[in-house]
Amino acid sequence: MMNQVSISKETLVSRKEIMKGRVLHVTVDTVSIDDGQGGESKTATREAVWHFGACAILPLTDDGKIILVRQYRYAAAQAMLEVPAGKIEHDGESPDYCAARELEEEAGVTASEILSLGYTYTSPGFCSERIYLYLARGLQKGKQHLDDDEFMNVEYYTPKEMEDLIDKNEITDAKTIAAFEKARKYLPGL
């Protein structure tokens, strides 16, 4: 049996808006901290990035290949190999809808089955972004519909090749690694 631990809770006291962009919203918040043990509350400052969330899809072809996209990532200053993914466009957009949309936009395929694999947080210490993970099967060829500022190549890998790329640190994108690990039991040859 696990030990029961009192967990502190933080409550917003005040907020200073720093930046509101089209992808994220940044605030500096003052919070009241309840230590969970009935002690005196304290205050602290939290810098936070607020985000609607995103979806990441691991597309698996009928012959057992995984579709990945390679694109340049400005903040990382390099081209990265990733699963197709994209942001939820607005508060209230369904993650399932976002996943289907991004799969076609980025990989140029549609799927007869999109299976939810749960979700992960990108960096919960300061960011609210939740990435919903999916496995797509029963793929039908379509056409990429990239945004005007997107350029990416579609590539195909076996699950073993993808595992090796992760092990060699050639795939370093967290959502891609998380989607691969969550989909592992569905992948042939592992």
Side-chain angles (χ1 to χ4, degrees):
M1 184 171 170
M2 294 181 64
N3 292 335
Q4 294 293 329
V5 178
S6 296
I7 303 295
S8 66
K9 182 179 177 194
E10 299 182 3
T11 306
L12 179 66
V13 174
S14 65
R15 171 167 286 167
K16 179 180 178 186
E17 303 283 337
I18 302 301
M19 191 273 294
K20 191 160 191 166
R22 61 181 187 97
V23 175
L24 50 91
H25 177 199
V26 180
T27 64
V28 176
D29 296 345
T30 300
V31 297
S32 173
I33 304 171
D34 174 353
D35 68 5
Q37 299 180 24
E40 186 177 327
S41 292
K42 298 178 182 180
T43 60
T45 300
R46 302 287 186 242
E47 295 177 357
V49 176
W50 305 97
H51 191 285
F52 287 135
C55 294
I57 312 94
L58 191 139
L60 184 64
T61 65
D62 290 342
D63 65 351
K65 297 268 177 72
I66 296 167
I67 300 174
L68 298 176
V69 295
R70 188 179 302 271
Q71 65 180 317
Y72 186 82
R73 293 300 198 174
Y74 177 76
Q78 64 179 317
M80 300 185 81
L81 195 55
E82 307 173 20
V83 293
K87 66 183 179 352
I88 293 173
E89 295 291 338
H90 56 81
D91 195 16
E93 181 181 36
S94 158
D96 294 352
Y97 178 82
C98 176
R101 182 190 72 237
E102 291 295 335
L103 179 64
E104 184 170 13
E105 284 180 11
E106 293 196 355
V109 296
T110 60
S112 62
E113 178 185 23
I114 299 180
L115 177 67
S116 174
L117 300 172
Y119 60 86
T120 186
Y121 284 94
T122 56
S123 190
F126 70 89
C127 185
S128 70
E129 183 183 23
R130 179 187 288 190
I131 298 184
Y132 297 87
L133 306 171
Y134 293 89
L135 172 69
R137 298 188 286 200
L139 305 180
Q140 297 87 37
K141 188 74 175 146
K143 186 173 188 279
Q144 277 183 312
H145 303 282
L146 300 176
D147 294 338
D148 290 339
D149 62 350
E150 286 183 311
F151 302 94
M152 61 186 68
N153 296 327
V154 175
E155 302 179 19
Y156 296 80
Y157 295 88
T158 66
K160 181 65 177 128
E161 289 170 331
M162 187 169 172
E163 182 178 55
D164 291 344
L165 290 169
I166 291 169
D167 287 345
K168 290 190 271 183
N169 226 29
E170 292 178 30
I171 293 178
T172 56
D173 174 61
K175 71 181 174 304
T176 299
I177 296 168
F180 181 77
E181 290 302 322
K182 290 268 200 160
R184 183 178 280 281
K185 65 184 173 189
Y186 302 100
L187 303 177
L190 290 180

